[in-house]
Amino acid sequence: MMLRPGAITTAFGRLEQALANDDFATATAQLSAIGNKPILDQMELGDGFNQWLGRQRADAEARLQAGVQSALAALLREGNSAGHAQLVAASSLRNPTVAGNPAPSAATGKVRLAVLPFQRIGEDEGQAYFADGMVDELITAMGQVPQLIVSGRTSSFHFRDSHLPPSAIAAELGVSHLIEGSVGRQGNRVRIHAHLIAGDTGIELWGARFDGTMDDVFTFQEQVAQAITAAIGDALKIALKPPLLRGLTQSKEAYDLYLQGRSLSVRPFGDGALDKAVELLERAVILDPDFAEAWLVMAEVHQLIAIYTACLDRPAASARMAQCVDKALAIKSGLGQAYSLLGLHQLCQNDFVGALDLASKGYAMEPNNPQVAMRLGSYLMFCGRTADGMRYIEEAISQDPIDGRKYMLRCAGRLNQGDIAAAISDGQRAVDLGFPSIHLAVASAAAGRHEAAVDQYQQTRLLLNKSIFPPVGTSPMTPEVMDAYWLVAAKGVCSGVAEDREAYCRTLDFLHLTMYDNADSSITLPAVFMGYADLLFRTLGERISPANMGCLMSIWADVDPIRQIWQHPEFIPFAQRIGMAAAWDKYGWPDVLPLPSNAPAAVH
């Protein structure tokens, strides 16, 4: 079926036309009217269409941000500061970080850039991990330059094989420069082409070719990183400190196994991918027991196994993660990411103070690592310090703006803070990036949009039923039974009807009695959303695991029925029992709880 061009007009189309025609006043008015409404909303034609629609929304948002950035630059060139301020204000309704294409700050001199996935030339698809590994090392090395802020890997790799123009990608990432390139590997020889691109115009500012061998691959990578940094400094007329590549290993075979294992670690939902990653990384550390980064990636993989797989013993997986971290830190004590990761295991030991201490130490070492910032922010939110935690979540999003998980965290934080409209916007952004719609549904229910919330909650099954293994000890549900279960769950959490909530509470009671892991997140998270305090106290009160601790950040919302948890007379004893209350003594009292006369002031 085809539509005649021009037969249908939309608000978004009129906005794009206004931007294209440099009609900035009309564009500002259109942006204000559209606000944070989803693009192509209220279109429901099945699962396949929904997946296509998500991609179209992401591309349309990127085009919009590119157009807004160009308009802001034009307004600045014209000296129209009032128009610039109005367009920024209108744009911030949709994208709170918009402020014009970033340039070096007069105060800090920091430049924001992104290293995009390099194209692979002359190598088998099975060796794609090598090109990705080169990009990962460039991101890490250039992230150590004090004057640079480098986009996180998740955001950069979102644009693999993207057909968007460089200006649209730069706008979406919030950077002023892009690094593109290609990697060719033939036997022992390696060739890299690298290019520095101006984010606002898409014009190539610099390009070079580098030839080397696997025998000196680390020196080779360092030369590439230093040459790119020098080119950025020349283009911007600023002095940049040359990056030094971290020394990884002297074993080419161990390095190759490490790259393969790391490439699998970013695919937690693939069948057997995490187990294969562990196998490869274990072989790497056998070849080189002093390979700290391989130990650290293996720790990350064990954490993912504990969260995303049908793990028979989640505490054991967490303990194995901690052992790998300890190995890494014994070799290199300056790995900030290792300390923040180790905090997860401390939470499983009911040591909230230890978790926050470790995450704070990691952040002090790697403040520009979005994963480190995200973990510190999360741990603070677990303890009810939402305002403090959100500062670090905002930092993580600023550095890694296309990661759905970070928008889920900010959605929970904004709901805690009572900004329901912003929570809905973040929840929708997470969904558009491929993450579950549970938090969006809860935010919609808090806004009184119960029918839409029920539908959004049910949509989560499209991802989770394909990604999460069935509970250990149970047979997989048939599609019909699964759909019926999700309908009961969605109504229980989101309909606002007392009978629906009661029915789902009884279902959770049954799961608590029959599931192998009776503190599974499929029990604890809906218990939070329904304000079922007794069940939450019986589950998390007995066992915190990497898989269920995330629900802690959602207990602090001041909306019904969630507030029934922290207003429950047994909540303080529960917080004391799991170690949370100890963190209040050091890191400050929860935002929503009345401050007792003897509560200490926050130190963080």
Side-chain angles (χ1 to χ4, degrees):
M1 180 179 70
M2 296 185 66
L3 297 176
R4 177 168 53 84
I8 297 176
T9 62
T10 66
F12 184 81
R14 291 191 292 273
L15 169 58
E16 285 197 304
Q17 190 63 45
L19 289 169
N21 293 338
D22 294 340
D23 186 355
F24 303 137
T26 299
T28 299
Q30 285 285 91
L31 267 173
S32 298
I34 293 174
N36 61 4
K37 297 176 183 176
I39 295 173
L40 301 174
D41 198 15
Q42 299 178 345
M43 300 179 70
E44 180 63 52
L45 297 176
D47 296 350
F49 178 80
N50 289 338
Q51 295 173 5
W52 172 86
L53 186 60
R55 294 191 295 271
Q56 301 309 306
R57 280 176 171 155
D59 287 348
E61 288 284 3
R63 292 200 313 272
L64 172 59
Q65 295 307 321
V68 169
Q69 297 287 0
S70 296
L72 289 169
L75 288 165
L76 286 177
R77 288 194 298 271
E78 296 172 2
N80 187 348
S81 57
H84 182 276
Q86 291 169 358
L87 184 54
V88 166
S91 303
S92 65
L93 296 172
R94 184 164 211 93
N95 179 12
T97 62
V98 70
N101 214 12
S105 164
T108 66
K110 289 188 180 286
V111 179
R112 304 183 76 94
L113 72 143
V115 186
L116 299 181
F118 280 16
Q119 296 179 356
R120 300 177 296 274
I121 298 176
E123 64 175 348
D124 295 335
E125 183 65 25
Q127 287 196 341
Y129 65 86
F130 181 76
D132 290 350
M134 296 289 285
V135 172
D136 279 328
E137 289 307 313
L138 282 176
I139 291 174
T140 300
M142 301 187 72
Q144 306 307 311
V145 178
Q147 301 97 324
L148 299 181
I149 297 178
V150 184
S151 287
R153 184 192 195 279
T154 303
S155 294
S156 293
F157 277 73
H158 177 80
F159 293 98
R160 186 196 297 277
D161 302 323
S162 173
H163 299 295
L164 291 173
S167 59
I169 295 175
E172 186 80 352
L173 291 171
V175 300
S176 60
H177 293 79
L178 300 170
I179 297 168
E180 299 178 335
S182 62
V183 176
R185 179 181 175 184
Q186 187 172 18
N188 197 47
R189 299 201 59 80
V190 181
R191 171 170 291 176
I192 292 180
H193 287 88
H195 309 275
L196 177 65
I197 309 296
D200 53 352
T201 63
I203 295 174
E204 181 177 324
L205 303 176
W206 168 88
R209 189 186 84 183
F210 303 87
D211 291 298
T213 69
M214 288 297 296
D215 294 325
D216 58 357
V217 65
F218 302 123
T219 301
F220 180 40
Q221 290 174 334
E222 189 169 85
Q223 290 173 348
V224 175
Q226 290 180 351
I228 292 173
T229 304
I232 295 171
D234 290 343
L236 297 176
K237 304 296 189 295
I238 57 177
L240 298 179
K241 180 181 178 181
L244 297 176
L245 210 68
R246 53 185 180 171
L248 297 179
T249 177
Q250 297 301 312
S251 170
K252 290 189 298 182
E253 186 179 354
Y255 179 63
D256 201 66
L257 291 166
Y258 161 75
L259 292 181
Q260 293 179 59
R262 186 169 64 176
S263 71
L264 291 174
S265 73
V266 299
R267 296 160 44 193
F269 300 138
D271 291 340
L274 296 179
D275 291 335
K276 182 63 176 178
V278 170
E279 175 191 332
L280 292 165
L281 292 163
E282 285 181 339
R283 288 166 56 191
V285 296
I286 289 173
L287 289 169
D288 182 359
D290 292 329
F291 195 166
E293 287 75 10
W295 284 110
L296 180 55
V297 173
M298 188 156 34
E300 294 273 8
V301 173
H302 282 293
Q303 176 233 164
L304 294 173
I305 288 172
I307 295 175
Y308 293 114
T309 72
C311 182
L312 286 170
D313 193 341
R314 299 189 197 279
S318 180
R320 179 58 178 153
M321 177 266 286
Q323 291 169 0
C324 292
V325 171
D326 288 339
K327 289 278 191 181
L329 290 174
I331 300 164
K332 291 184 179 179
S333 61
L335 298 172
Q337 188 170 350
Y339 290 104
S340 70
L341 180 60
L342 192 58
L344 287 170
H345 186 61
Q346 294 306 115
L347 287 169
C348 295
Q349 308 305 304
N350 294 341
D351 183 6
F352 282 70
V353 174
L356 281 165
D357 288 349
L358 287 166
S360 300
K361 184 174 183 178
Y363 179 80
M365 292 178 171
E366 294 186 33
N368 291 328
N369 186 326
Q371 293 299 106
V372 172
M374 181 180 71
R375 285 199 176 110
L376 176 54
S378 299
Y379 300 169
L380 286 164
M381 289 172 64
F382 291 170
C383 298
R385 299 290 299 174
T386 299
D388 282 349
M390 284 286 278
R391 292 194 294 111
Y392 297 100
I393 301 300
E394 294 285 1
E395 283 186 23
I397 290 176
S398 175
Q399 297 168 41
D400 202 7
I402 310 184
D403 182 352
R405 183 184 176 192
K406 295 179 176 64
Y407 287 96
M408 287 175 59
L409 295 175
R410 196 169 72 176
C411 172
R414 285 180 160 170
L415 186 60
N416 290 352
Q417 294 176 323
D419 193 347
I420 295 175
I424 291 173
S425 177
D426 278 337
Q428 183 62 59
R429 179 62 168 154
V431 171
D432 291 343
L433 291 172
F435 275 70
S437 53
I438 285 180
H439 287 81
L440 170 62
V442 172
S444 295
R449 297 169 52 190
H450 296 290
E451 185 175 344
V454 168
D455 181 64
Q456 290 163 349
Y457 199 99
Q458 285 182 280
Q459 294 302 311
T460 299
R461 76 190 190 281
L462 301 177
L463 176 66
L464 294 187
N465 287 358
K466 297 176 182 177
S467 306
I468 304 298
F469 291 95
V472 176
T474 66
S475 299
M477 298 181 190
T478 65
E480 294 77 15
V481 173
M482 185 66 78
D483 287 345
Y485 168 79
W486 276 100
L487 180 59
V488 171
K491 286 185 174 180
V493 171
C494 299
S495 73
V497 177
E499 291 78 3
D500 292 339
R501 176 187 179 278
E502 184 65 22
Y504 191 33
C505 286
R506 300 290 73 78
T507 299
L508 294 181
D509 286 336
F510 173 77
L511 293 176
H512 180 242
L513 290 173
T514 58
M515 285 182 64
Y516 183 88
D517 182 359
N518 64 2
D520 189 82
S521 60
S522 62
I523 298 173
T524 59
L525 190 58
V528 169
F529 292 149
M530 293 191 299
Y532 191 1
D534 290 339
L535 181 59
L536 185 69
F537 300 162
R538 281 184 280 136
T539 50
L540 283 184
E542 295 178 2
R543 182 170 63 260
I544 296 177
S545 76
N548 66 22
M549 66 176 63
C551 73
L552 287 168
M553 78 179 64
S554 296
I555 67 178
W556 302 102
D558 193 9
V559 297
D560 278 327
I562 296 176
R563 64 163 63 99
Q564 295 177 24
I565 292 174
W566 53 266
Q567 290 182 345
H568 196 282
E570 291 300 314
F571 177 73
I572 297 297
F574 160 75
Q576 293 170 333
R577 189 165 68 252
I578 66 173
M580 180 191 293
W584 301 342
D585 293 336
K586 183 170 184 178
Y587 285 88
W589 196 251
D591 297 350
V592 297
L593 290 183
L595 185 67
S597 59
N598 63 343
V603 298
H604 193 85

